[in-house]
Amino acid sequence: MKDILRIASLAAVLLASSCASPNDPGFRVPDPEQNHPITVDPQYQSVRFPFSVSNAGLMPDDAAKFDAFVGDYLDHGNGALSVTVPAGNYANAAISYFGERLASMGVPRTRVLVGTRAPDGDERVELGFIGYAAHVANCDGDKWNEDLARTWDNQPMPSFGCANQHNLAAMVADPRDLIQPRGMGDPSTNRRTTVLGHYGKGEVHTADKRKSDIPNEQSGSSSDIGH
């Protein structure tokens, strides 16, 4: 009887492992990053503004849109920021105006690419740059139709982690960070000097606590955890 039970137990283990064998061509790993990978692709982003020398540049609404677009470039842009104006009498004035405005907002002059285009009936000035967008390409609606009651193969559902990956792709501040993490910024030398100075003198070198935070703190002696 003992031998029969051992054989039955071994058979059950082998059967269970075969249900989720990695050699199965339909096997899915329980890892959303592999089942629904986030891809990052370069995309050209552009906007056009009406410009008139007689109106002293941009109207207030267009100026606000301009500032938002340039801010997006400074945060997420890659490469140069192009300024394309229609060829004509106001071409040089428009290039000068937008070039100075971009420089005043912190765009390096070496990254501003200016040019003219042939008259096409549109007298607006176009700004454009290459940015990056993150999206999940391998996650569509038909992956939600599988019967959740059919779990005999012990595999995760095709939609497992799909929404999570979509949310992450939508929330990431700079999609380039998903390709390669950005470098660390410069350290605060003033704070480092202050801390090392206190440490060398044997003084307290931690930041002072705010009095408003002290009543909200818990210590091991006053906590009710475990009682």
Side-chain angles (χ1 to χ4, degrees):
M1 180 62 69
K2 291 182 179 180
D3 292 338
I4 294 176
L5 292 176
R6 289 175 181 174
I7 294 174
S9 300
L10 179 60
V13 171
L14 293 176
L15 179 61
S17 62
S18 65
C19 291
S21 173
N23 296 325
D24 183 358
F27 178 76
R28 293 186 296 270
V29 295
D31 185 354
E33 293 186 5
Q34 296 187 37
N35 295 333
H36 309 291
I38 299 177
T39 57
V40 179
D41 300 319
Q43 294 183 353
Y44 179 72
Q45 303 179 30
S46 64
V47 64
R48 291 191 174 190
F49 301 97
F51 174 79
S52 174
V53 175
S54 60
N55 290 336
L58 296 175
M59 300 299 290
D61 291 345
D62 293 325
K65 187 186 299 184
F66 176 90
D67 293 345
F69 185 81
V70 176
D72 189 38
Y73 165 76
L74 293 173
D75 293 337
H76 309 132
N78 188 71
L81 175 63
S82 63
V83 180
T84 307
V85 303
N89 297 330
Y90 298 122
N92 292 335
I95 289 176
S96 177
Y97 173 82
F98 281 97
E100 293 301 323
R101 192 178 182 100
L102 290 173
S104 67
M105 294 185 64
V107 180
R109 295 182 184 274
T110 56
R111 297 181 66 179
V112 178
L113 183 64
V114 299
T116 59
R117 67 176 186 270
D120 55 1
D122 190 346
E123 297 298 321
R124 295 178 298 172
V125 176
E126 179 178 299
L127 271 67
F129 66 88
I130 299 295
Y132 285 86
H135 59 88
V136 179
N138 190 25
C139 185
D140 46 41
D142 59 0
K143 296 185 180 299
W144 299 85
N145 298 329
E146 185 169 322
D147 187 0
L148 298 180
R150 297 183 58 186
T151 57
W152 57 270
D153 57 354
N154 200 31
Q155 293 189 28
M157 295 296 100
S159 58
F160 177 72
C162 168
N164 227 28
Q165 291 292 91
H166 264 294
N167 290 340
L168 179 60
M171 292 187 299
V172 61
D174 191 346
R176 291 177 298 182
D177 292 338
L178 299 177
I179 302 176
Q180 181 179 0
R182 71 186 72 181
M184 295 183 63
D186 296 331
S188 174
T189 55
N190 292 334
R191 180 60 183 164
R192 180 174 59 186
T193 302
T194 300
V195 171
L196 290 178
H198 287 307
Y199 181 80
K201 298 177 183 179
E203 301 173 347
V204 177
H205 53 275
T206 57
D208 294 332
K209 295 181 179 179
R210 296 182 302 178
K211 293 182 180 181
S212 59
D213 293 337
I214 295 178
N216 299 327
E217 296 181 351
Q218 290 186 350
S219 62
S221 59
S222 61
S223 176
D224 293 333
I225 299 177
H227 295 283

